[in-house]
PDB file of all heavy atoms in Angstrom:
ATOM      1  N   VAL A   1       0.819  -1.214  -0.002  1.00 89.00           N
ATOM      2  CA  VAL A   1       0.000   0.000   0.003  1.00 89.00           C
ATOM      3  C   VAL A   1       0.847   1.264   0.002  1.00 89.00           C
ATOM      4  O   VAL A   1       0.723   2.124  -0.887  1.00 89.00           O
ATOM      5  CB  VAL A   1      -0.962   0.002   1.204  1.00 89.00           C
ATOM      6  CG1 VAL A   1      -1.636   1.367   1.345  1.00 89.00           C
ATOM      7  CG2 VAL A   1      -2.010  -1.079   1.044  1.00 89.00           C
ATOM      8  N   PHE A   2       1.714   1.434   0.987  1.00 93.00           N
ATOM      9  CA  PHE A   2       2.456   2.688   1.132  1.00 93.00           C
ATOM     10  C   PHE A   2       3.454   2.872  -0.010  1.00 93.00           C
ATOM     11  O   PHE A   2       3.634   3.986  -0.514  1.00 93.00           O
ATOM     12  CB  PHE A   2       3.177   2.719   2.485  1.00 93.00           C
ATOM     13  CG  PHE A   2       2.257   2.830   3.657  1.00 93.00           C
ATOM     14  CD1 PHE A   2       1.934   1.712   4.402  1.00 93.00           C
ATOM     15  CD2 PHE A   2       1.694   4.056   4.002  1.00 93.00           C
ATOM     16  CE1 PHE A   2       1.072   1.807   5.486  1.00 93.00           C
ATOM     17  CE2 PHE A   2       0.835   4.161   5.078  1.00 93.00           C
ATOM     18  CZ  PHE A   2       0.513   3.039   5.829  1.00 93.00           C
ATOM     19  N   LEU A   3       4.090   1.807  -0.428  1.00 93.00           N
ATOM     20  CA  LEU A   3       5.079   1.900  -1.506  1.00 93.00           C
ATOM     21  C   LEU A   3       4.411   2.249  -2.830  1.00 93.00           C
ATOM     22  O   LEU A   3       4.896   3.110  -3.579  1.00 93.00           O
ATOM     23  CB  LEU A   3       5.841   0.578  -1.625  1.00 93.00           C
ATOM     24  CG  LEU A   3       7.065   0.575  -2.529  1.00 93.00           C
ATOM     25  CD1 LEU A   3       8.091   1.595  -2.065  1.00 93.00           C
ATOM     26  CD2 LEU A   3       7.687  -0.821  -2.558  1.00 93.00           C
ATOM     27  N   SER A   4       3.295   1.609  -3.129  1.00 92.00           N
ATOM     28  CA  SER A   4       2.591   1.876  -4.392  1.00 92.00           C
ATOM     29  C   SER A   4       2.053   3.297  -4.431  1.00 92.00           C
ATOM     30  O   SER A   4       2.114   3.973  -5.467  1.00 92.00           O
ATOM     31  CB  SER A   4       1.450   0.877  -4.594  1.00 92.00           C
ATOM     32  OG  SER A   4       0.471   1.008  -3.575  1.00 92.00           O
ATOM     33  N   GLN A   5       1.547   3.787  -3.299  1.00 93.00           N
ATOM     34  CA  GLN A   5       1.024   5.150  -3.269  1.00 93.00           C
ATOM     35  C   GLN A   5       2.138   6.185  -3.342  1.00 93.00           C
ATOM     36  O   GLN A   5       1.963   7.248  -3.952  1.00 93.00           O
ATOM     37  CB  GLN A   5       0.165   5.347  -2.018  1.00 93.00           C
ATOM     38  CG  GLN A   5      -1.113   4.541  -2.009  1.00 93.00           C
ATOM     39  CD  GLN A   5      -1.920   4.719  -3.278  1.00 93.00           C
ATOM     40  OE1 GLN A   5      -2.344   5.829  -3.607  1.00 93.00           O
ATOM     41  NE2 GLN A   5      -2.126   3.637  -4.016  1.00 93.00           N
ATOM     42  N   SER A   6       3.266   5.907  -2.735  1.00 94.00           N
ATOM     43  CA  SER A   6       4.418   6.808  -2.858  1.00 94.00           C
ATOM     44  C   SER A   6       4.814   6.960  -4.324  1.00 94.00           C
ATOM     45  O   SER A   6       5.034   8.072  -4.814  1.00 94.00           O
ATOM     46  CB  SER A   6       5.608   6.275  -2.051  1.00 94.00           C
ATOM     47  OG  SER A   6       5.324   6.245  -0.683  1.00 94.00           O
ATOM     48  N   ALA A   7       4.871   5.830  -5.029  1.00 93.00           N
ATOM     49  CA  ALA A   7       5.247   5.852  -6.449  1.00 93.00           C
ATOM     50  C   ALA A   7       4.226   6.611  -7.275  1.00 93.00           C
ATOM     51  O   ALA A   7       4.581   7.406  -8.163  1.00 93.00           O
ATOM     52  CB  ALA A   7       5.389   4.417  -6.961  1.00 93.00           C
ATOM     53  N   SER A   8       2.924   6.384  -7.004  1.00 93.00           N
ATOM     54  CA  SER A   8       1.886   7.062  -7.792  1.00 93.00           C
ATOM     55  C   SER A   8       1.907   8.570  -7.553  1.00 93.00           C
ATOM     56  O   SER A   8       1.661   9.355  -8.481  1.00 93.00           O
ATOM     57  CB  SER A   8       0.506   6.489  -7.448  1.00 93.00           C
ATOM     58  OG  SER A   8       0.098   6.861  -6.150  1.00 93.00           O
ATOM     59  N   LEU A   9       2.227   8.995  -6.338  1.00 95.00           N
ATOM     60  CA  LEU A   9       2.271  10.422  -6.043  1.00 95.00           C
ATOM     61  C   LEU A   9       3.500  11.075  -6.669  1.00 95.00           C
ATOM     62  O   LEU A   9       3.450  12.251  -7.068  1.00 95.00           O
ATOM     63  CB  LEU A   9       2.249  10.642  -4.532  1.00 95.00           C
ATOM     64  CG  LEU A   9       0.919  10.263  -3.862  1.00 95.00           C
ATOM     65  CD1 LEU A   9       1.068  10.252  -2.350  1.00 95.00           C
ATOM     66  CD2 LEU A   9      -0.183  11.213  -4.280  1.00 95.00           C
ATOM     67  N   VAL A  10       4.598  10.346  -6.753  1.00 95.00           N
ATOM     68  CA  VAL A  10       5.773  10.851  -7.472  1.00 95.00           C
ATOM     69  C   VAL A  10       5.416  11.078  -8.934  1.00 95.00           C
ATOM     70  O   VAL A  10       5.765  12.112  -9.539  1.00 95.00           O
ATOM     71  CB  VAL A  10       6.960   9.875  -7.345  1.00 95.00           C
ATOM     72  CG1 VAL A  10       8.081  10.279  -8.312  1.00 95.00           C
ATOM     73  CG2 VAL A  10       7.485   9.852  -5.913  1.00 95.00           C
ATOM     74  N   VAL A  11       4.710  10.125  -9.532  1.00 94.00           N
ATOM     75  CA  VAL A  11       4.261  10.253 -10.922  1.00 94.00           C
ATOM     76  C   VAL A  11       3.376  11.483 -11.082  1.00 94.00           C
ATOM     77  O   VAL A  11       3.513  12.255 -12.039  1.00 94.00           O
ATOM     78  CB  VAL A  11       3.485   8.988 -11.364  1.00 94.00           C
ATOM     79  CG1 VAL A  11       2.813   9.214 -12.719  1.00 94.00           C
ATOM     80  CG2 VAL A  11       4.418   7.787 -11.432  1.00 94.00           C
ATOM     81  N   ALA A  12       2.445  11.679 -10.128  1.00 94.00           N
ATOM     82  CA  ALA A  12       1.547  12.830 -10.190  1.00 94.00           C
ATOM     83  C   ALA A  12       2.322  14.141 -10.130  1.00 94.00           C
ATOM     84  O   ALA A  12       2.014  15.090 -10.866  1.00 94.00           O
ATOM     85  CB  ALA A  12       0.546  12.763  -9.043  1.00 94.00           C
ATOM     86  N   LEU A  13       3.342  14.210  -9.279  1.00 95.00           N
ATOM     87  CA  LEU A  13       4.137  15.437  -9.162  1.00 95.00           C
ATOM     88  C   LEU A  13       4.942  15.694 -10.442  1.00 95.00           C
ATOM     89  O   LEU A  13       5.095  16.847 -10.865  1.00 95.00           O
ATOM     90  CB  LEU A  13       5.079  15.345  -7.966  1.00 95.00           C
ATOM     91  CG  LEU A  13       4.438  15.559  -6.597  1.00 95.00           C
ATOM     92  CD1 LEU A  13       5.454  15.296  -5.485  1.00 95.00           C
ATOM     93  CD2 LEU A  13       3.876  16.979  -6.470  1.00 95.00           C
ATOM     94  N   LEU A  14       5.444  14.629 -11.053  1.00 93.00           N
ATOM     95  CA  LEU A  14       6.160  14.788 -12.320  1.00 93.00           C
ATOM     96  C   LEU A  14       5.242  15.322 -13.412  1.00 93.00           C
ATOM     97  O   LEU A  14       5.698  15.924 -14.387  1.00 93.00           O
ATOM     98  CB  LEU A  14       6.760  13.442 -12.760  1.00 93.00           C
ATOM     99  CG  LEU A  14       7.903  12.899 -11.897  1.00 93.00           C
ATOM    100  CD1 LEU A  14       8.306  11.508 -12.365  1.00 93.00           C
ATOM    101  CD2 LEU A  14       9.101  13.852 -11.942  1.00 93.00           C
ATOM    102  N   PHE A  15       3.954  15.109 -13.238  1.00 90.00           N
ATOM    103  CA  PHE A  15       2.951  15.597 -14.177  1.00 90.00           C
ATOM    104  C   PHE A  15       2.509  17.026 -13.822  1.00 90.00           C
ATOM    105  O   PHE A  15       2.324  17.873 -14.694  1.00 90.00           O
ATOM    106  CB  PHE A  15       1.745  14.649 -14.150  1.00 90.00           C
ATOM    107  CG  PHE A  15       0.627  15.035 -15.081  1.00 90.00           C
ATOM    108  CD1 PHE A  15       0.709  14.763 -16.438  1.00 90.00           C
ATOM    109  CD2 PHE A  15      -0.511  15.648 -14.583  1.00 90.00           C
ATOM    110  CE1 PHE A  15      -0.333  15.124 -17.289  1.00 90.00           C
ATOM    111  CE2 PHE A  15      -1.547  16.002 -15.425  1.00 90.00           C
ATOM    112  CZ  PHE A  15      -1.461  15.730 -16.782  1.00 90.00           C
ATOM    113  N   LEU A  16       2.382  17.316 -12.516  1.00 92.00           N
ATOM    114  CA  LEU A  16       1.821  18.591 -12.063  1.00 92.00           C
ATOM    115  C   LEU A  16       2.827  19.736 -12.055  1.00 92.00           C
ATOM    116  O   LEU A  16       2.522  20.855 -12.487  1.00 92.00           O
ATOM    117  CB  LEU A  16       1.231  18.431 -10.662  1.00 92.00           C
ATOM    118  CG  LEU A  16      -0.050  17.599 -10.540  1.00 92.00           C
ATOM    119  CD1 LEU A  16      -0.329  17.273  -9.074  1.00 92.00           C
ATOM    120  CD2 LEU A  16      -1.220  18.346 -11.150  1.00 92.00           C
ATOM    121  N   VAL A  17       4.032  19.474 -11.533  1.00 92.00           N
ATOM    122  CA  VAL A  17       5.014  20.548 -11.361  1.00 92.00           C
ATOM    123  C   VAL A  17       5.374  21.231 -12.684  1.00 92.00           C
ATOM    124  O   VAL A  17       5.387  22.475 -12.759  1.00 92.00           O
ATOM    125  CB  VAL A  17       6.282  20.013 -10.658  1.00 92.00           C
ATOM    126  CG1 VAL A  17       7.369  21.097 -10.635  1.00 92.00           C
ATOM    127  CG2 VAL A  17       5.947  19.585  -9.235  1.00 92.00           C
ATOM    128  N   PRO A  18       5.654  20.493 -13.777  1.00 92.00           N
ATOM    129  CA  PRO A  18       5.947  21.183 -15.038  1.00 92.00           C
ATOM    130  C   PRO A  18       4.784  22.053 -15.525  1.00 92.00           C
ATOM    131  O   PRO A  18       5.021  23.119 -16.098  1.00 92.00           O
ATOM    132  CB  PRO A  18       6.195  20.020 -16.022  1.00 92.00           C
ATOM    133  CG  PRO A  18       6.620  18.877 -15.157  1.00 92.00           C
ATOM    134  CD  PRO A  18       5.826  19.026 -13.902  1.00 92.00           C
ATOM    135  N   ILE A  19       3.545  21.606 -15.279  1.00 89.00           N
ATOM    136  CA  ILE A  19       2.396  22.407 -15.704  1.00 89.00           C
ATOM    137  C   ILE A  19       2.328  23.707 -14.920  1.00 89.00           C
ATOM    138  O   ILE A  19       2.011  24.768 -15.473  1.00 89.00           O
ATOM    139  CB  ILE A  19       1.088  21.601 -15.534  1.00 89.00           C
ATOM    140  CG1 ILE A  19       1.101  20.364 -16.425  1.00 89.00           C
ATOM    141  CG2 ILE A  19      -0.128  22.465 -15.859  1.00 89.00           C
ATOM    142  CD1 ILE A  19      -0.127  19.476 -16.270  1.00 89.00           C
ATOM    143  N   VAL A  20       2.644  23.643 -13.614  1.00 89.00           N
ATOM    144  CA  VAL A  20       2.660  24.861 -12.794  1.00 89.00           C
ATOM    145  C   VAL A  20       3.719  25.832 -13.316  1.00 89.00           C
ATOM    146  O   VAL A  20       3.475  27.051 -13.402  1.00 89.00           O
ATOM    147  CB  VAL A  20       2.935  24.505 -11.315  1.00 89.00           C
ATOM    148  CG1 VAL A  20       3.109  25.776 -10.495  1.00 89.00           C
ATOM    149  CG2 VAL A  20       1.786  23.680 -10.746  1.00 89.00           C
ATOM    150  N   PHE A  21       4.876  25.295 -13.710  1.00 89.00           N
ATOM    151  CA  PHE A  21       5.935  26.151 -14.266  1.00 89.00           C
ATOM    152  C   PHE A  21       5.501  26.755 -15.595  1.00 89.00           C
ATOM    153  O   PHE A  21       5.726  27.946 -15.856  1.00 89.00           O
ATOM    154  CB  PHE A  21       7.227  25.342 -14.445  1.00 89.00           C
ATOM    155  CG  PHE A  21       8.107  25.331 -13.233  1.00 89.00           C
ATOM    156  CD1 PHE A  21       8.263  24.168 -12.496  1.00 89.00           C
ATOM    157  CD2 PHE A  21       8.767  26.479 -12.828  1.00 89.00           C
ATOM    158  CE1 PHE A  21       9.058  24.137 -11.360  1.00 89.00           C
ATOM    159  CE2 PHE A  21       9.576  26.464 -11.692  1.00 89.00           C
ATOM    160  CZ  PHE A  21       9.727  25.295 -10.964  1.00 89.00           C
ATOM    161  N   ILE A  22       4.893  25.934 -16.456  1.00 88.00           N
ATOM    162  CA  ILE A  22       4.467  26.412 -17.779  1.00 88.00           C
ATOM    163  C   ILE A  22       3.451  27.545 -17.651  1.00 88.00           C
ATOM    164  O   ILE A  22       3.482  28.528 -18.388  1.00 88.00           O
ATOM    165  CB  ILE A  22       3.883  25.242 -18.604  1.00 88.00           C
ATOM    166  CG1 ILE A  22       4.996  24.251 -18.965  1.00 88.00           C
ATOM    167  CG2 ILE A  22       3.191  25.756 -19.872  1.00 88.00           C
ATOM    168  CD1 ILE A  22       4.486  22.981 -19.612  1.00 88.00           C
ATOM    169  N   LYS A  23       2.544  27.400 -16.688  1.00 84.00           N
ATOM    170  CA  LYS A  23       1.521  28.423 -16.474  1.00 84.00           C
ATOM    171  C   LYS A  23       2.055  29.619 -15.688  1.00 84.00           C
ATOM    172  O   LYS A  23       1.314  30.587 -15.436  1.00 84.00           O
ATOM    173  CB  LYS A  23       0.319  27.812 -15.749  1.00 84.00           C
ATOM    174  CG  LYS A  23      -0.503  26.882 -16.620  1.00 84.00           C
ATOM    175  CD  LYS A  23      -1.726  26.398 -15.873  1.00 84.00           C
ATOM    176  CE  LYS A  23      -2.652  25.627 -16.797  1.00 84.00           C
ATOM    177  NZ  LYS A  23      -3.286  26.513 -17.810  1.00 84.00           N
ATOM    178  N   LYS A  24       3.326  29.553 -15.288  1.00 82.00           N
ATOM    179  CA  LYS A  24       3.984  30.636 -14.555  1.00 82.00           C
ATOM    180  C   LYS A  24       3.202  31.010 -13.291  1.00 82.00           C
ATOM    181  O   LYS A  24       3.023  32.188 -12.969  1.00 82.00           O
ATOM    182  CB  LYS A  24       4.158  31.855 -15.461  1.00 82.00           C
ATOM    183  CG  LYS A  24       5.040  31.590 -16.674  1.00 82.00           C
ATOM    184  CD  LYS A  24       5.189  32.826 -17.538  1.00 82.00           C
ATOM    185  CE  LYS A  24       6.083  32.536 -18.740  1.00 82.00           C
ATOM    186  NZ  LYS A  24       6.221  33.733 -19.626  1.00 82.00           N
ATOM    187  N   THR A  25       2.755  29.985 -12.589  1.00 83.00           N
ATOM    188  CA  THR A  25       2.019  30.182 -11.348  1.00 83.00           C
ATOM    189  C   THR A  25       2.985  30.360 -10.189  1.00 83.00           C
ATOM    190  O   THR A  25       3.964  29.618 -10.065  1.00 83.00           O
ATOM    191  CB  THR A  25       1.111  28.975 -11.052  1.00 83.00           C
ATOM    192  OG1 THR A  25       0.235  28.763 -12.165  1.00 83.00           O
ATOM    193  CG2 THR A  25       0.279  29.200  -9.809  1.00 83.00           C
ATOM    194  N   SER A  26       2.727  31.340  -9.346  1.00 86.00           N
ATOM    195  CA  SER A  26       3.577  31.559  -8.187  1.00 86.00           C
ATOM    196  C   SER A  26       3.386  30.440  -7.169  1.00 86.00           C
ATOM    197  O   SER A  26       2.263  30.015  -6.903  1.00 86.00           O
ATOM    198  CB  SER A  26       3.239  32.913  -7.543  1.00 86.00           C
ATOM    199  OG  SER A  26       3.942  33.074  -6.324  1.00 86.00           O
ATOM    200  N   PHE A  27       4.495  29.980  -6.601  1.00 88.00           N
ATOM    201  CA  PHE A  27       4.439  28.905  -5.616  1.00 88.00           C
ATOM    202  C   PHE A  27       4.154  29.434  -4.205  1.00 88.00           C
ATOM    203  O   PHE A  27       3.926  28.656  -3.292  1.00 88.00           O
ATOM    204  CB  PHE A  27       5.765  28.129  -5.593  1.00 88.00           C
ATOM    205  CG  PHE A  27       5.953  27.216  -6.763  1.00 88.00           C
ATOM    206  CD1 PHE A  27       6.453  27.700  -7.963  1.00 88.00           C
ATOM    207  CD2 PHE A  27       5.623  25.872  -6.680  1.00 88.00           C
ATOM    208  CE1 PHE A  27       6.632  26.858  -9.048  1.00 88.00           C
ATOM    209  CE2 PHE A  27       5.799  25.024  -7.760  1.00 88.00           C
ATOM    210  CZ  PHE A  27       6.288  25.520  -8.952  1.00 88.00           C
ATOM    211  N   ARG A  28       4.128  30.732  -4.036  1.00 89.00           N
ATOM    212  CA  ARG A  28       3.969  31.323  -2.722  1.00 89.00           C
ATOM    213  C   ARG A  28       2.509  31.223  -2.252  1.00 89.00           C
ATOM    214  O   ARG A  28       1.585  31.550  -2.991  1.00 89.00           O
ATOM    215  CB  ARG A  28       4.408  32.789  -2.741  1.00 89.00           C
ATOM    216  CG  ARG A  28       5.890  32.987  -3.053  1.00 89.00           C
ATOM    217  CD  ARG A  28       6.275  34.445  -2.950  1.00 89.00           C
ATOM    218  NE  ARG A  28       6.098  34.955  -1.586  1.00 89.00           N
ATOM    219  CZ  ARG A  28       6.361  36.212  -1.226  1.00 89.00           C
ATOM    220  NH1 ARG A  28       6.795  37.088  -2.138  1.00 89.00           N
ATOM    221  NH2 ARG A  28       6.202  36.599   0.009  1.00 89.00           N
ATOM    222  N   ILE A  29       2.332  30.781  -1.026  1.00 91.00           N
ATOM    223  CA  ILE A  29       1.011  30.712  -0.406  1.00 91.00           C
ATOM    224  C   ILE A  29       1.123  31.184   1.041  1.00 91.00           C
ATOM    225  O   ILE A  29       2.209  31.165   1.616  1.00 91.00           O
ATOM    226  CB  ILE A  29       0.423  29.282  -0.440  1.00 91.00           C
ATOM    227  CG1 ILE A  29       1.384  28.289   0.216  1.00 91.00           C
ATOM    228  CG2 ILE A  29       0.077  28.854  -1.853  1.00 91.00           C
ATOM    229  CD1 ILE A  29       0.831  26.884   0.323  1.00 91.00           C
ATOM    230  N   SER A  30       0.033  31.588   1.615  1.00 92.00           N
ATOM    231  CA  SER A  30       0.043  32.074   2.990  1.00 92.00           C
ATOM    232  C   SER A  30       0.175  30.904   3.955  1.00 92.00           C
ATOM    233  O   SER A  30      -0.051  29.749   3.593  1.00 92.00           O
ATOM    234  CB  SER A  30      -1.238  32.857   3.288  1.00 92.00           C
ATOM    235  OG  SER A  30      -2.363  31.984   3.266  1.00 92.00           O
ATOM    236  N   ARG A  31       0.524  31.208   5.192  1.00 92.00           N
ATOM    237  CA  ARG A  31       0.647  30.141   6.202  1.00 92.00           C
ATOM    238  C   ARG A  31      -0.707  29.480   6.453  1.00 92.00           C
ATOM    239  O   ARG A  31      -0.766  28.271   6.660  1.00 92.00           O
ATOM    240  CB  ARG A  31       1.183  30.733   7.503  1.00 92.00           C
ATOM    241  CG  ARG A  31       2.637  31.184   7.420  1.00 92.00           C
ATOM    242  CD  ARG A  31       3.116  31.689   8.770  1.00 92.00           C
ATOM    243  NE  ARG A  31       4.525  32.119   8.705  1.00 92.00           N
ATOM    244  CZ  ARG A  31       5.192  32.617   9.751  1.00 92.00           C
ATOM    245  NH1 ARG A  31       4.562  32.758  10.929  1.00 92.00           N
ATOM    246  NH2 ARG A  31       6.441  32.965   9.622  1.00 92.00           N
ATOM    247  N   ARG A  32      -1.777  30.283   6.432  1.00 93.00           N
ATOM    248  CA  ARG A  32      -3.113  29.724   6.644  1.00 93.00           C
ATOM    249  C   ARG A  32      -3.468  28.735   5.541  1.00 93.00           C
ATOM    250  O   ARG A  32      -3.963  27.644   5.812  1.00 93.00           O
ATOM    251  CB  ARG A  32      -4.140  30.861   6.697  1.00 93.00           C
ATOM    252  CG  ARG A  32      -5.592  30.358   6.870  1.00 93.00           C
ATOM    253  CD  ARG A  32      -6.557  31.531   6.878  1.00 93.00           C
ATOM    254  NE  ARG A  32      -7.923  31.057   7.012  1.00 93.00           N
ATOM    255  CZ  ARG A  32      -8.674  30.653   5.992  1.00 93.00           C
ATOM    256  NH1 ARG A  32      -8.160  30.650   4.770  1.00 93.00           N
ATOM    257  NH2 ARG A  32      -9.916  30.240   6.210  1.00 93.00           N
ATOM    258  N   ASP A  33      -3.215  29.124   4.285  1.00 93.00           N
ATOM    259  CA  ASP A  33      -3.512  28.226   3.162  1.00 93.00           C
ATOM    260  C   ASP A  33      -2.634  26.982   3.214  1.00 93.00           C
ATOM    261  O   ASP A  33      -3.089  25.873   2.898  1.00 93.00           O
ATOM    262  CB  ASP A  33      -3.307  28.944   1.826  1.00 93.00           C
ATOM    263  CG  ASP A  33      -4.413  29.960   1.553  1.00 93.00           C
ATOM    264  OD1 ASP A  33      -5.539  29.759   2.032  1.00 93.00           O
ATOM    265  OD2 ASP A  33      -4.140  30.948   0.852  1.00 93.00           O
ATOM    266  N   ALA A  34      -1.368  27.153   3.618  1.00 94.00           N
ATOM    267  CA  ALA A  34      -0.464  25.996   3.723  1.00 94.00           C
ATOM    268  C   ALA A  34      -0.974  25.010   4.766  1.00 94.00           C
ATOM    269  O   ALA A  34      -0.924  23.783   4.570  1.00 94.00           O
ATOM    270  CB  ALA A  34       0.940  26.462   4.086  1.00 94.00           C
ATOM    271  N   LEU A  35      -1.495  25.536   5.882  1.00 95.00           N
ATOM    272  CA  LEU A  35      -2.033  24.668   6.929  1.00 95.00           C
ATOM    273  C   LEU A  35      -3.270  23.921   6.441  1.00 95.00           C
ATOM    274  O   LEU A  35      -3.411  22.709   6.676  1.00 95.00           O
ATOM    275  CB  LEU A  35      -2.375  25.500   8.167  1.00 95.00           C
ATOM    276  CG  LEU A  35      -3.013  24.737   9.338  1.00 95.00           C
ATOM    277  CD1 LEU A  35      -2.071  23.643   9.838  1.00 95.00           C
ATOM    278  CD2 LEU A  35      -3.378  25.703  10.466  1.00 95.00           C
ATOM    279  N   ILE A  36      -4.154  24.633   5.739  1.00 93.00           N
ATOM    280  CA  ILE A  36      -5.361  23.984   5.211  1.00 93.00           C
ATOM    281  C   ILE A  36      -4.994  22.910   4.198  1.00 93.00           C
ATOM    282  O   ILE A  36      -5.558  21.814   4.204  1.00 93.00           O
ATOM    283  CB  ILE A  36      -6.305  25.030   4.582  1.00 93.00           C
ATOM    284  CG1 ILE A  36      -6.847  25.973   5.657  1.00 93.00           C
ATOM    285  CG2 ILE A  36      -7.466  24.345   3.853  1.00 93.00           C
ATOM    286  CD1 ILE A  36      -7.670  27.124   5.102  1.00 93.00           C
ATOM    287  N   LEU A  37      -4.034  23.205   3.337  1.00 95.00           N
ATOM    288  CA  LEU A  37      -3.597  22.221   2.335  1.00 95.00           C
ATOM    289  C   LEU A  37      -2.964  21.006   3.004  1.00 95.00           C
ATOM    290  O   LEU A  37      -3.149  19.871   2.553  1.00 95.00           O
ATOM    291  CB  LEU A  37      -2.603  22.876   1.368  1.00 95.00           C
ATOM    292  CG  LEU A  37      -3.208  23.885   0.382  1.00 95.00           C
ATOM    293  CD1 LEU A  37      -2.105  24.668  -0.314  1.00 95.00           C
ATOM    294  CD2 LEU A  37      -4.098  23.172  -0.633  1.00 95.00           C
ATOM    295  N   PHE A  38      -2.205  21.245   4.076  1.00 96.00           N
ATOM    296  CA  PHE A  38      -1.594  20.128   4.808  1.00 96.00           C
ATOM    297  C   PHE A  38      -2.676  19.244   5.424  1.00 96.00           C
ATOM    298  O   PHE A  38      -2.591  18.009   5.380  1.00 96.00           O
ATOM    299  CB  PHE A  38      -0.659  20.658   5.896  1.00 96.00           C
ATOM    300  CG  PHE A  38      -0.006  19.572   6.709  1.00 96.00           C
ATOM    301  CD1 PHE A  38       1.130  18.923   6.240  1.00 96.00           C
ATOM    302  CD2 PHE A  38      -0.539  19.187   7.937  1.00 96.00           C
ATOM    303  CE1 PHE A  38       1.726  17.910   6.989  1.00 96.00           C
ATOM    304  CE2 PHE A  38       0.042  18.182   8.675  1.00 96.00           C
ATOM    305  CZ  PHE A  38       1.183  17.533   8.202  1.00 96.00           C
ATOM    306  N   ILE A  39      -3.703  19.870   6.016  1.00 94.00           N
ATOM    307  CA  ILE A  39      -4.801  19.086   6.610  1.00 94.00           C
ATOM    308  C   ILE A  39      -5.566  18.340   5.532  1.00 94.00           C
ATOM    309  O   ILE A  39      -5.955  17.179   5.718  1.00 94.00           O
ATOM    310  CB  ILE A  39      -5.746  20.025   7.395  1.00 94.00           C
ATOM    311  CG1 ILE A  39      -5.008  20.655   8.578  1.00 94.00           C
ATOM    312  CG2 ILE A  39      -6.971  19.257   7.899  1.00 94.00           C
ATOM    313  CD1 ILE A  39      -5.810  21.716   9.304  1.00 94.00           C
TER     314      ILE A  39
END
């Protein structure tokens, strides 16, 4: 379970991060938003 999900999330990040760069989206978020995203 944990190993397969780790691998799938790595794949997802390899897909998501380049798109964020292409769209020139700022990575900066507030502490409140970071906490909500973590939860």
Side-chain angles (χ1 to χ4, degrees):
V1 170
F2 291 101
L3 190 59
S4 63
Q5 293 309 299
S6 296
S8 70
L9 292 169
V10 169
V11 170
L13 283 174
L14 292 174
F15 180 79
L16 290 167
V17 173
I19 297 178
V20 174
F21 272 110
I22 292 172
K23 288 184 172 291
K24 298 180 180 179
T25 303
S26 173
F27 285 84
R28 296 184 63 180
I29 56 175
S30 67
R31 291 183 180 179
R32 178 181 179 275
D33 287 332
L35 177 61
I36 294 174
L37 288 168
F38 179 83
I39 296 173

